[in-house]
Amino acid sequence: MNISTSITSEGGAGQPLILNPSNRIRRSPVFDKVQAAGAKAWSIYNGTMIGQWFGTLADDCAHLKRAVQLWDVGGERIVEIKGPGAQRLLQMTTPRDLWKVNTTRCAYIPMVDSKGRLLNDPVLVRLADDRFWIALADSDMYLFLKGLAAGSGLDVEISDPDVWILALQGPLADDVAERVWGPSVRDIPFFGHAPVPVEGRDMVLARTGWSLQGGFELYVEGSENLPLIWDRLFAAGQDFDIRVGCPNLIERIEGGLLSYGNDMTEKHTPMEAGLGRHCVLDRDVGCLGYEALVAQREPARQVRPVDISGGPVPSVAKLWEITDQDGNFAGRVSSAVWSPDQQGNVAIAMVERAYWDAGTKLIVHASDGPRDLTVRARYWIGRHS
Amino acid sequence: MNISTSITSEGGAGQPLILNPSNRIRRSPVFDKVQAAGAKAWSIYNGTMIGQWFGTLADDCAHLKRAVQLWDVGGERIVEIKGPGAQRLLQMTTPRDLWKVNTTRCAYIPMVDSKGRLLNDPVLVRLADDRFWIALADSDMYLFLKGLAAGSGLDVEISDPDVWILALQGPLADDVAERVWGPSVRDIPFFGHAPVPVEGRDMVLARTGWSLQGGFELYVEGSENLPLIWDRLFAAGQDFDIRVGCPNLIERIEGGLLSYGNDMTEKHTPMEAGLGRHCVLDRDVGCLGYEALVAQREPARQVRPVDISGGPVPSVAKLWEITDQDGNFAGRVSSAVWSPDQQGNVAIAMVERAYWDAGTKLIVHASDGPRDLTVRARYWIGRHS
């Protein structure tokens, strides 16, 4: 049994946690390819195996920032919402105004319950006036939609189509996509989508993805097509140093991409998660959580980027409490990692209002002991243009 | 890094799958104790780490059948449904008649959507006329309930209480429970519950659990109490050879305990899962799936116990197709394992109607090649009295 000593994935006793495979835990149609590419560790996302890193987190990050990677993000489970009541049903669950999303567009939609608590934050793809896909973050949000549809009597069909996302991410993603589909892919705007031919039929290519380095997500219809287009994209990327990759912890913290279930949960509102800019606080939009969201306009805590002192932090397997110098509770760190580019630990925390101003110096009680923490004004990197 | 060579948990390339810990994946308040007890592999159930075996599956099974085990089943996430509309809301999702479940009783309730498809199969605990707990199988069923409550306007509160289940399972479970709470625990009937004192307050002890060997599930309120009562139960069990354990794959297949997500999914109806005996097909009960369930009274396929020939089978990481001798599709095996007691492979399959009679001989295309399969009339073991 050959386990790389670079694996930092471990339990409290310093032993690696071995995952028992099960039919209950989904594998994407390219699971074998991801494993063969050398995935060193795995997580479970929406009940689906997802690779975590291939070289080291740092090597993967550096490569993502300079070249292009092919990601199996089958954990972003796709749900289809279709029918005369589809827009109304979705609009009940999100404060974003879906009337502004036409059939060439995607939208990041925080989804909330009647109390304005976050239930998911998928990307929505509008396929037609009455037909949508959402690519779920880590919760069975389709169950809320099914329950809401049953209770409200809206005429809508909610289904689990055989659609899987492949992401092409990195500054050279456009070059690879052009090789495969021609130069018109360069014209797809940020959060726009357009049809591209895949195995004889048109499929959705969207300029979205869980990195700040640019690129696309391809919605592959039909499990049998996934290995074929995977190989085709990988072959087309050879001249651009393409590698198999996955969402990278370092890059996504540096860029401020929040992870649902980590940095924000169903105990938080979009305002606490700093997603207020996506919330249209207009009763007529029809969001169930409208009243609660209005009441939350001045949240008591909010997500902040924070610097953590010292050498590389251990992984955050449980939230780390933050206090002020007198020991008063000031918040919790949800994600943290050493960034070679920043030469420091980059982190995301939910910080109480009294402490959230940039420059505030606090103490984080990390799993390996206390460290200095400083609240920042903004994330470390912006979107690659 | 010391990994036992007895670990059979592996990916396609024969390498163990290493789990990357994350704050997104819950750990119960006794996770450290379960790890220290020697959990050899883990699964994720309702987003929560659960141990899979401690010695070997066979050793764990033999011990469970002869003594008593303490299980951390924090993956059975508890949801509280409370308020004047609580019973009506729950009844909309299940064909069981909840009027027959009084406040001293639990009930196994298949839960379905409007199409009669299984969404979960929790144990329900009735705490009061207007207050229930459900201990979820592996799906975010509370999201369906929340959506249904929002859509239907029922006056009901759905919450995620700080309650965690510990199971005491095995023929000597009553002896351990008597040491801790006195002889009256012996009077708790099957699927009954009664209050017992835990850390100064009454908590629910139910005669339920995911084995056929008898025993209890204790609903521990307050994370801080879980390690305390864990230690107390473990100490009380010393004279009875108590060990830390977990639901055992061999024993639960032998006993016909179906695993939601493995043996039945949201693509199946309760009738296909062989749960028709739990379905009251009476429109007045109020189940949303009533029409669909009536239409399903004669299902086209159904769960069956099956014997598989040859030596120990590999683990079922993906469904194995079953065909007849001419290659026609006959069903799929969802769970299978070598049973030392049966001296053969015990398995659960969804079998098409034309083939489901006991004694039918078929071929299963296991991940290591074809084997003979025989449909059985009943499971291998019955409930320990």
Side-chain angles (χ1 to χ4, degrees), chain A residues 100-107 124-126 189-193:
Chain A
K100 297 191 172 143
V101 183
N102 69 34
T103 58
T104 68
R105 300 290 301 167
C106 306
L124 169 138
V125 181
R126 183 166 212 151
F190 188 55
F191 269 69
H193 67 83

Side-chain angles (χ1 to χ4, degrees), chain A residues 1-5 7 9-13 15-25 27 31 35 40-45 49-50 52-53 77 113-115 119 138-144 146-148 150-152 157 160 259-262 266-267 288 315-319 334, chain B residues 1-5 7 9-13 15-25 27 31 35 40-45 49-50 52-53 77 113-115 119 138-144 146-148 150-152 157 160 259-262 266-267 288 315-319 334:
Chain A
M1 223 173 263
N2 172 28
I3 300 182
S4 160
T5 52
I7 292 173
S9 159
E10 53 188 47
Q15 291 187 329
L17 300 168
I18 306 292
L19 184 68
N20 185 32
S22 155
N23 161 52
R24 187 170 48 74
I25 297 174
R27 298 177 179 205
F31 170 85
Q35 191 177 35
K40 296 286 200 304
W42 301 84
S43 190
I44 307 294
Y45 199 86
M49 305 277 300
I50 49 167
Q52 294 286 283
W53 61 84
R77 195 167 171 176
D113 65 13
S114 313
K115 294 180 179 170
L119 300 180
D138 190 24
S139 81
D140 296 339
M141 185 65 201
Y142 64 95
L143 289 177
F144 187 89
K146 277 193 174 191
L148 186 59
S152 62
E157 187 75 20
D160 182 22
S259 164
Y260 182 74
N262 278 315
E266 64 194 25
K267 300 200 187 309
L288 289 171
S315 64
V316 185
K318 269 183 156 177
L319 298 172
S334 49
Chain B
M1 221 173 264
N2 172 26
I3 300 183
S4 161
T5 52
I7 291 173
S9 160
E10 55 187 48
Q15 290 187 332
L17 300 168
I18 306 292
L19 184 68
N20 185 32
S22 156
N23 162 52
R24 188 170 47 76
I25 297 174
R27 297 177 179 205
F31 171 84
Q35 192 178 33
K40 296 285 201 303
W42 301 85
S43 189
I44 307 294
Y45 198 86
M49 305 276 299
I50 49 167
Q52 294 286 283
W53 61 83
R77 197 167 170 178
D113 65 14
S114 313
K115 295 180 178 170
L119 299 180
D138 190 23
S139 81
D140 296 339
M141 186 64 200
Y142 64 96
L143 290 176
F144 187 89
K146 276 191 174 191
L148 186 59
S152 62
E157 188 75 19
D160 183 23
S259 164
Y260 182 73
N262 278 316
E266 63 195 24
K267 300 201 187 306
L288 288 170
S315 64
V316 185
K318 270 183 154 178
L319 298 171
S334 49

Side-chain angles (χ1 to χ4, degrees), chain B residues 77-90:
Chain B
R77 197 167 170 178
I78 308 298
V79 177
E80 179 165 315
I81 302 100
K82 189 179 175 182
Q87 169 151 343
R88 173 119 168 71
L89 183 78
L90 282 165

Side-chain angles (χ1 to χ4, degrees), chain B residues 250-263:
Chain B
I250 304 169
E251 200 265 356
R252 76 103 181 151
I253 294 177
E254 289 178 333
L257 294 175
L258 301 188
S259 164
Y260 182 73
N262 278 316
D263 307 314

Side-chain angles (χ1 to χ4, degrees), chain A residues 105-373:
Chain A
R105 300 290 301 167
C106 306
Y108 172 73
I109 57 166
M111 299 181 93
V112 297
D113 65 13
S114 313
K115 294 180 179 170
R117 304 287 162 173
L118 279 163
L119 300 180
N120 209 285
D121 68 328
V123 169
L124 169 138
V125 181
R126 183 166 212 151
L127 299 163
D129 284 348
D130 63 352
R131 185 169 167 239
F132 302 84
W133 282 339
I134 52 176
L136 290 184
D138 190 24
S139 81
D140 296 339
M141 185 65 201
Y142 64 95
L143 289 177
F144 187 89
L145 293 170
K146 277 193 174 191
L148 186 59
S152 62
L154 284 170
D155 183 6
V156 57
E157 187 75 20
I158 296 155
S159 64
D160 182 22
D162 183 23
V163 177
W164 301 81
I165 299 182
L166 291 184
L168 205 54
Q169 297 284 301
L172 307 184
D174 276 60
D175 298 304
V176 178
E178 180 174 359
R179 285 272 175 103
V180 176
W181 295 296
S184 63
V185 295
R186 294 190 185 274
D187 301 331
I188 300 174
F190 188 55
F191 269 69
H193 67 83
V196 292
V198 176
E199 302 303 320
R201 57 191 286 198
D202 279 353
M203 299 195 192
V204 171
L205 183 68
R207 194 178 288 279
T208 55
W210 219 55
S211 87
L212 279 277
Q213 307 306 316
F216 301 95
E217 289 184 307
L218 178 67
Y219 289 72
V220 183
E221 300 180 58
S223 299
E224 69 285 3
N225 292 321
L226 203 62
L228 303 176
I229 184 65
W230 175 277
D231 287 346
R232 200 168 144 214
L233 288 167
F234 201 76
Q238 288 308 303
D239 291 346
F240 306 100
D241 188 24
I242 195 170
R243 291 186 197 164
V244 175
C246 57
N248 184 274
L249 181 64
I250 304 170
E251 200 266 353
R252 75 103 180 152
I253 294 177
E254 288 178 334
L257 295 174
L258 303 186
S259 164
Y260 182 74
N262 278 315
D263 307 314
M264 53 191 178
T265 70
E266 64 194 25
K267 300 200 187 309
H268 300 116
T269 64
M271 283 68 182
E272 289 172 328
L275 304 175
R277 68 189 180 283
H278 297 300
C279 300
V280 179
L281 293 187
D282 176 345
R283 189 188 299 274
D284 292 342
V285 165
C287 176
L288 289 171
Y290 167 74
E291 303 275 2
L293 293 177
V294 167
Q296 265 278 315
R297 265 187 290 204
E298 303 291 333
R301 62 198 62 81
Q302 200 167 58
V303 164
R304 285 290 182 275
V306 297
D307 289 305
I308 298 178
S309 69
V313 287
S315 64
V316 185
K318 269 183 156 177
L319 298 172
W320 295 340
E321 201 165 291
I322 306 170
T323 61
D324 66 12
Q325 312 299 330
D326 298 326
N328 300 304
F329 178 76
R332 290 188 184 90
V333 167
S334 49
S335 298
V337 73
W338 176 263
S339 162
D341 285 353
Q342 314 307 328
Q343 280 296 300
N345 293 300
V346 297
I348 296 173
M350 186 70 72
V351 183
E352 298 295 306
R353 171 178 284 270
Y355 302 100
W356 75 26
D357 289 343
T360 306
K361 297 202 178 299
L362 299 164
I363 296 166
V364 57
H365 301 270
S367 55
D368 66 348
R371 291 166 181 251
D372 295 329
L373 176 150

